[in-house]
Amino acid sequence: EAGVTQFPSHSVIEKGQTVTLRCDPISGHDNLYWYRRVMGKEIKFLLHFVKESKQDESGMPNNRFLAERTGGTYSTLKVQPAELEDSGVYFCASSQGGVPEAFFGQGTRLTVV
Amino acid sequence: GQSLEQPSEVTAVEGAIVQINCTYQTSGFYGLSWYQQHDGGAPTFLSYNALDGLEETGRFSSFLSRSDSYGYLLLQELQMKDSASYFCAVRDRGSTGGFKTIFGAGTRLFVKA
């Protein structure tokens, strides 16, 4: 069974550009989470989807970040326009309903220069 | 809001026992998880405690005291491959009713020969 996959693995963009990160969760997992880790700090919660609905987006830093989950399957996280402080590793995780174990992808390392 | 505290670094020798502590503050606590992350890799689930007490899984054990808002991860018979970052994470029921997992900053474990 395939795990959580994220694309791209690395992205280097200039300040002001747009980047879209993609996450394919494990098939059948209703819960999908986005997290960000900056410079060795905590893995910070961004938002949580249940199927195609945003359950909790309290961690989204500002309106430059837009997350979608099409048909309850894959999800995208768009940053537009990117700023220097958006640099970090963006992780996606998925889990089955009611199960505490979350499966993480390998992350997308975003560098904004 | 939520907060978790854990030591930033721990060093131990191969074959020894190490304990990584975690204290937390959250309003909708449901349980405490532990994740392991090797450099450049994805966080992987180790354990989950919803009730007070000790859970043992092979060389790893996890403890929770809900009244003290405290838990720890115990690693026995340390091996070099255990060198990694270890995150405690609170499963929290937010105001929207959904569950989300909030992570601490992680403890970097160095295992020496």
Side-chain angles (χ1 to χ4, degrees):
Chain A
E1 180 183 338
V4 177
T5 56
Q6 294 186 242
F7 181 83
S9 58
H10 294 80
S11 180
V12 181
I13 61 171
E14 293 185 351
K15 176 182 171 182
Q17 288 186 321
T18 297
V19 63
T20 300
L21 313 181
R22 174 172 170 140
C23 169
D24 287 79
I26 292 173
S27 177
H29 282 192
D30 288 342
N31 295 298
L32 187 149
Y33 306 86
W34 282 98
Y35 291 89
R36 177 173 71 178
R37 191 172 193 212
V38 176
M39 291 292 289
K41 295 184 180 178
E42 77 269 27
I43 300 175
K44 186 177 183 297
F45 169 84
L46 297 179
L47 88 159
H48 170 206
F49 283 101
V50 176
K51 297 184 181 178
E52 68 274 10
S53 300
K54 291 176 187 174
Q55 178 74 41
D56 186 333
E57 52 183 332
S58 60
M60 294 288 264
N62 50 60
N63 59 9
R64 295 186 295 103
F65 288 74
L66 175 64
E68 293 180 328
R69 189 178 183 191
T70 306
T73 56
Y74 72 91
S75 175
T76 57
L77 180 65
K78 180 190 287 188
V79 185
Q80 179 182 30
E83 298 289 344
L84 298 179
E85 64 264 26
D86 300 333
S87 296
V89 181
Y90 289 77
F91 289 103
C92 172
S94 72
S95 70
Q96 291 180 313
V99 176
E101 179 177 1
F103 295 83
F104 279 77
Q106 293 291 325
T108 295
R109 182 173 293 278
L110 175 65
T111 304
V112 183
V113 298
Chain B
Q2 303 101 349
S3 68
L4 294 97
E5 296 286 336
Q6 55 182 125
S8 58
E9 282 186 12
V10 173
T11 300
V13 297
E14 208 173 6
I17 299 172
V18 72
Q19 179 173 313
I20 300 174
N21 297 320
C22 173
T23 57
Y24 59 86
Q25 279 189 312
T26 182
S27 55
F29 180 83
Y30 257 71
L32 189 71
S33 298
W34 289 91
Y35 285 77
Q36 177 192 60
Q37 185 186 23
H38 286 98
D39 283 347
T44 56
F45 176 85
L46 292 176
S47 67
Y48 177 73
N49 294 64
L51 303 175
D52 286 357
L54 190 69
E55 295 277 346
E56 298 182 56
T57 309
R59 294 188 296 113
F60 294 2
S61 303
S62 57
F63 172 83
L64 174 66
S65 169
R66 294 175 69 114
S67 60
D68 295 323
S69 298
Y70 164 76
Y72 65 72
L73 179 70
L74 190 74
L75 297 87
Q76 303 183 73
E77 300 172 20
L78 280 175
Q79 301 175 9
M80 298 297 287
K81 67 178 182 180
D82 297 329
S83 293
S85 292
Y86 292 84
F87 294 87
C88 63
V90 164
R91 184 168 165 84
D92 185 83
R93 187 151 207 165
S95 57
T96 59
F99 289 103
K100 64 184 179 187
T101 301
I102 306 299
F103 286 79
T107 297
R108 180 85 179 183
L109 172 64
F110 297 95
V111 180
K112 294 182 174 179

